[in-house]
Amino acid sequence: MRQLLALLLALSLNLLPVQAAERIVSLAPFLTDMTLQLGAGARLVGVLDDGQLPPELSELPAVGSYQTLSAERIVSVRPDLVLAWTSGNPPELLKRLRGWGIRVEQFDPQRLDDIASMTLQLGELLDQPAEAQALEADFRAQLEQLRAPPSLTRPKVFLQLWDNPLYTAAGDQLLSDALSLCGADNVFADLAGLAPQVGREGVLAANPEIIIALADQGVTAEAWLDDWRRFPKLAAVQHNRLHVLDSDLLVRPTPAIIGGVEQLCGLVR
């Protein structure tokens, strides 16, 4: 009788512990990666397919791509938790899922510190706190090893995300935060948004000392750098500091990004 009364009291006060999710759908590659890194991959029942799924997930149902996410397909795999990306998933889709009683948790890491805090949050959410704490501690330790000491001489860097039209990373974007940790300054840190369009004249006026072209699969960014060599007075051209960096190393905000941050630091020091 006492146990029954305690159970009824807990229910009335909403004090019962939340049961760990057993059927998880991930709506972003970085959240899929995080689920795997935390040792909860066996509980994934559906994922967003970006064409780069790891082999161990090749048999999992795909609930769509970024442009074709289907609420009906998500519901069909009977999730008890949906991990969503605030900046990358349609708000109306997430609202619809919540309206059907499905638990949706959103994440949007835009700073290196956000990755650390997200790791701990997901660890609690997926009932993997020990794994999350170890992962977070190791990530923070590696960041501190890469952090540049205070200096009055910080190189000015232009991060090129695309060519014709030119896109760059603004100050609120993760790449800019990583650049700052490495001891360099983003010449377009003051722009609004995450990936604003800029003009070639604006880049020339900023006169960066280093230009880093972020190339993904199938993009030959060397051609982008050749275009800058047409401007011999540009500081980055004068000092031959034109570099290509594989954007895949920095595109997924998980603790595994540390390898890309290390390469970025190597290019600006």
Side-chain angles (χ1 to χ4, degrees):
M1 179 61 73
R2 288 181 179 177
Q3 290 179 342
L4 177 58
L5 288 174
L7 176 60
L8 291 173
L9 179 60
L11 282 169
S12 66
L13 296 177
N14 198 25
L15 296 177
L16 286 180
V18 177
Q19 187 175 3
E22 294 298 331
R23 300 184 63 81
I24 303 166
V25 167
S26 167
L27 301 185
F30 77 92
L31 291 168
T32 302
D33 290 350
M34 284 297 319
T35 305
L36 294 174
Q37 290 173 37
L38 290 171
R43 287 183 264 159
L44 284 167
V45 295
V47 292
L48 178 143
D49 186 2
D50 68 339
Q52 300 183 48
L53 289 175
E56 61 265 38
L57 300 183
S58 60
E59 301 300 319
L60 268 184
V63 294
S65 63
Y66 285 117
Q67 290 76 33
T68 63
L69 278 176
S70 165
E72 290 74 15
R73 201 177 302 175
I74 294 170
V75 172
S76 72
V77 297
R78 298 178 292 108
D80 52 17
L81 174 64
V82 172
L83 301 178
W85 179 23
T86 304
S87 296
N89 299 145
E92 60 276 11
L93 171 73
L94 305 185
K95 181 179 180 181
R96 191 176 180 190
L97 293 174
R98 288 190 173 107
W100 289 339
I102 298 173
R103 185 181 185 187
V104 178
E105 296 290 343
Q106 294 177 232
F107 299 89
D108 199 18
Q110 298 295 346
R111 320 293 290 180
L112 294 169
D113 279 345
D114 293 345
I115 295 176
S117 58
M118 175 188 69
T119 300
L120 294 178
Q121 291 169 23
L122 281 169
E124 293 297 327
L125 192 61
L126 304 181
D127 197 27
Q128 303 285 106
E131 291 83 354
Q133 289 164 16
L135 196 60
E136 186 262 357
D138 185 56
F139 177 62
R140 286 198 182 275
Q142 292 184 77
L143 284 180
E144 287 308 309
Q145 289 180 352
L146 291 175
R147 190 180 303 278
S151 173
L152 296 177
T153 57
R154 295 170 62 90
K156 298 188 301 178
V157 181
F158 170 53
L159 296 168
Q160 184 172 350
L161 306 183
W162 196 252
D163 187 70
N164 195 28
L166 281 173
Y167 284 93
T168 190
D172 288 336
Q173 216 262 9
L174 181 61
L175 284 169
S176 189
D177 189 40
L179 191 63
S180 180
L181 176 122
C182 294
D185 290 329
N186 177 1
V187 295
F188 291 114
D190 292 337
L191 293 185
L194 296 178
Q197 183 176 337
V198 295
R200 200 167 296 274
E201 296 78 9
V203 178
L204 294 174
N207 195 26
E209 300 161 73
I210 303 171
I211 294 177
I212 300 176
L214 280 294
D216 56 15
Q217 290 185 350
V219 174
T220 305
E222 285 292 350
W224 302 354
L225 299 182
D226 284 340
D227 279 344
W228 295 114
R229 292 187 176 97
R230 297 186 294 112
F231 304 96
K233 292 184 179 180
L234 195 61
V237 175
Q238 288 180 354
H239 300 293
N240 194 29
R241 300 203 69 179
L242 306 170
H243 306 292
V244 174
L245 182 60
D246 183 357
S247 65
D248 287 342
L249 299 172
L250 290 159
V251 74
R252 299 192 181 191
T254 79
I257 202 174
I258 199 72
V261 176
E262 183 176 14
Q263 289 197 29
L264 179 65
C265 290
L267 293 179
V268 302
R269 292 177 180 171

